[in-house]
Amino acid sequence: MSRKTDHTDTSSLENFLRPIVEQFGCDLEAADIAPAGRRRLLRVLVDRDGGISLDDVAEVTRAISKALDADDIMGDGAYTLEVSSPGVDRPLTLPRHWRRNVSRLVAVTLTAGGKVTGRIKSASEEAAELDVDGTLRTVPYTDVAKAKVQIEFNRAAGKDEAGPESPADGTVEEN
């Protein structure tokens, strides 16, 4: 099977990168190629339960770089590799995104219309349980048109259930 030499389709690239990223216990959240002058920019987003540290990102970056050097999936053109974790503004689209944000405040736009804002108490494969002003509300993912974590700059320290690591994407921690 011959590969393109100047650009690569995202799905082939994701299929190539996924097993490399999974060796580190991480999920491949996205891979994207964008023009950047004469070069191309390959952006790879990785995450895992408990968060991902800068050291983790460095290890994954080295492994991806080594694999890309040994394969022609990127073709002959020059490119820059950028590996990071998703920012706090990433929409919650998969059950694992909800699970990784337990205890965070989210704004949800429902498919039937209307909005709900609440703190994620738990998340299963089918639905999230939100604390909406002291009342628990189960929100099935099939009812969600859009959901995003709300940044809380005045949130008391130690309220997150995630580890003590700093975010690996340069975002401001909301403590």
Side-chain angles (χ1 to χ4, degrees), residues 85-141:
S85 65
V88 71
D89 61 342
R90 170 200 46 202
L92 305 179
T93 58
L94 297 170
R96 70 175 179 246
H97 300 160
W98 291 84
R99 185 181 67 244
R100 290 175 180 157
N101 284 288
V102 165
S103 85
R104 302 243 181 180
L105 188 67
V106 293
V108 180
T109 303
L110 301 170
T111 54
K115 293 186 178 188
V116 175
T117 299
R119 195 161 304 281
I120 304 173
K121 299 306 274 181
S122 65
S124 70
E125 289 299 307
E126 294 82 32
E129 187 173 55
L130 304 181
D131 178 342
V132 180
D133 298 323
T135 303
L136 290 182
R137 176 170 176 179
T138 300
V139 178
Y141 303 134

Side-chain angles (χ1 to χ4, degrees), residues 2-159:
S2 70
R3 295 207 169 114
K4 299 175 185 176
T5 55
D6 289 330
H7 59 281
T8 304
D9 71 277
T10 303
S11 110
S12 293
L13 187 58
E14 287 179 351
N15 290 337
F16 177 81
L17 295 172
R18 188 168 287 108
I20 299 163
V21 170
E22 288 174 350
Q23 291 174 20
F24 296 90
C26 298
D27 294 308
L28 176 66
E29 294 294 342
D32 182 51
I33 300 173
R38 294 183 199 161
R39 301 167 84 67
R40 292 168 293 158
L41 176 61
L42 169 56
R43 283 192 183 107
V44 179
L45 296 180
V46 297
D47 202 3
R48 72 168 156 219
D49 288 358
I52 188 164
S53 72
L54 290 174
D55 289 340
D56 298 330
V57 170
E59 281 186 6
V60 171
T61 301
R62 282 190 291 274
I64 289 173
S65 181
K66 186 177 178 182
L68 290 172
D69 288 347
D71 194 280
D72 68 346
I73 191 163
M74 290 298 292
D76 297 330
Y79 67 91
T80 300
L81 173 63
E82 177 184 292
V83 179
S84 66
S85 65
V88 71
D89 61 342
R90 170 200 46 202
L92 305 179
T93 58
L94 297 170
R96 70 175 179 246
H97 300 160
W98 291 84
R99 185 181 67 244
R100 290 175 180 157
N101 284 288
V102 165
S103 85
R104 302 243 181 180
L105 188 67
V106 293
V108 180
T109 303
L110 301 170
T111 54
K115 293 186 178 188
V116 175
T117 299
R119 195 161 304 281
I120 304 173
K121 299 306 274 181
S122 65
S124 70
E125 289 299 307
E126 294 82 32
E129 187 173 55
L130 304 181
D131 178 342
V132 180
D133 298 323
T135 303
L136 290 182
R137 176 170 176 179
T138 300
V139 178
Y141 303 134
T142 55
D143 293 350
V144 175
K146 182 172 128 183
K148 282 188 137 182
V149 171
Q150 301 300 288
I151 298 174
E152 299 176 87
F153 290 105
N154 60 349
R155 184 137 187 229
K159 292 290 184 181

